[in-house]
Amino acid sequence: MVGIVSFLFLTFAWSWGFWGSKILLEMGVVEGVPVLPNLGAFGPTVAAVLLIAYANGFDGVRRLASRAIQFDYPRRWLLVALLLPPAIVGGALAVAVATGTTPTFPWAGQPIVLAIAFVWILLLGGPVQEEFGWRGYLLDPLQERLTPLGGGLAVGLIWAIWHLPLFYIQSATIYYQNPFLGFAVSITLLSVLMTWVYNSTNGSLLPVLLMHTSWNWAQGMFPILESDPASLAMVGFLAAATILVVVYTGPKRLGRLGNVSRPE
């Protein structure tokens, strides 16, 4: 429990410290203060690395990093991680078109942007900055205490709340002044699906890194939030996929083949 509390404290202190200073600067509360808001996204990974280094030294950090190139699971799970998010977003896009919205694609006429964007998002757009913390450190102890379903839901809720300051930062255009509730529900459902993939791949971080990337990429390349029906449909498709997975695998397993112990 101490590890969980320490991780949450360090994660929120780091991220909200950077993001909070940006909010204060935009509000005019402070002036002339150096602000580097992009560093805030590294909070979960920084917290995980610091705590693992303190408890297990360099070997612990090396083991954490090595889980990003772990392949002791059927390769089909990489396809699940890559294709499930675009399938959900694609279904929502179809709803947008069917209800009269003409989507705008930022990469129209430049299809190579699709590949470049995926690599950029993987390395700089969130997954590497977050997943070594959320799934690499926090998920396993929460699964032990709350069952895999409970752990996935708990990580999702924490993950959503962690994003909250971004909804008040004007430069964070994908979050600013958008409804937080819809985002929180979506990301919590996504967290359960990512828990299923994580457990089914023996705790490897590569599939969840790819799934996180694929989710961000799909929403960026195929924007659906400009359509209310599509936004609701996306949440509905996420909920349906989550229910199917939980019913099929069971809330106490959620793809888990056995007890997985990770260093804290």
Side-chain angles (χ1 to χ4, degrees):
M1 188 64 183
V2 173
I4 294 174
V5 173
S6 299
F7 172 81
L8 294 178
F9 175 79
L10 289 173
T11 296
F12 278 81
W14 175 284
S15 298
W16 284 23
F18 281 105
W19 293 336
S21 61
K22 177 65 173 177
I23 293 172
L24 293 176
L25 186 64
E26 290 187 355
M27 293 175 60
V29 176
V30 296
E31 296 181 5
V33 177
V35 178
L36 299 171
N38 290 337
L39 291 179
F42 287 91
T45 290
V46 168
V49 169
L50 288 176
L51 291 170
I52 289 176
Y54 177 77
N56 301 81
F58 177 76
D59 285 343
V61 176
R62 180 182 56 78
R63 287 194 296 272
L64 175 66
S66 70
R67 290 169 59 194
I69 52 173
Q70 177 184 329
F71 290 100
D72 55 345
Y73 49 85
R75 300 296 189 272
R76 65 178 179 272
W77 285 103
L78 296 176
L79 292 177
V80 173
L82 285 168
L83 298 180
L84 182 57
I88 291 172
V89 172
L93 184 64
V95 171
V97 173
T99 54
T101 297
T102 302
T104 56
F105 302 110
W107 47 268
Q110 304 179 68
I112 194 174
V113 171
L114 290 170
I116 294 173
F118 190 92
V119 175
W120 185 90
I121 292 170
L122 174 62
L123 299 178
L124 299 172
V128 170
Q129 300 162 351
E130 301 176 31
E131 288 306 327
F132 288 94
W134 300 137
R135 256 56 64 171
Y137 188 93
L138 182 62
L139 178 58
D140 280 315
L142 287 178
Q143 288 194 97
E144 294 293 339
R145 290 165 174 80
L146 303 174
T147 75
L149 176 59
L153 289 171
V155 171
L157 288 170
I158 293 166
W159 191 14
I161 294 170
W162 173 77
H163 281 88
L164 188 58
L166 296 175
F167 287 78
Y168 299 92
I169 298 176
Q170 294 182 23
S171 57
T173 53
I174 62 173
Y175 302 105
Y176 184 63
Q177 292 187 337
N178 283 319
F180 176 73
L181 180 60
F183 170 81
V185 171
S186 297
I187 206 169
T188 300
L189 292 170
L190 179 64
S191 177
V192 175
L193 293 175
M194 291 179 73
T195 300
W196 167 58
V197 170
Y198 172 88
N199 286 342
S200 299
T201 54
N202 198 30
S204 174
L205 293 179
L206 178 58
V208 292
L209 282 165
L210 292 175
M211 191 169 184
H212 190 160
T213 302
S214 185
W215 177 255
N216 290 358
W217 174 86
Q219 291 194 88
M221 297 299 100
F222 304 93
I224 58 172
L225 297 181
E226 57 197 48
S227 165
D228 290 339
S231 299
L232 291 173
M234 184 186 72
V235 175
F237 292 146
L238 269 172
T242 302
I243 291 170
L244 284 173
V245 166
V246 171
V247 170
Y248 179 74
T249 64
K252 294 183 178 181
R253 295 191 65 84
L254 207 59
R256 204 170 197 183
L257 301 178
N259 292 326
V260 180
S261 178
R262 305 293 177 194
E264 294 188 17

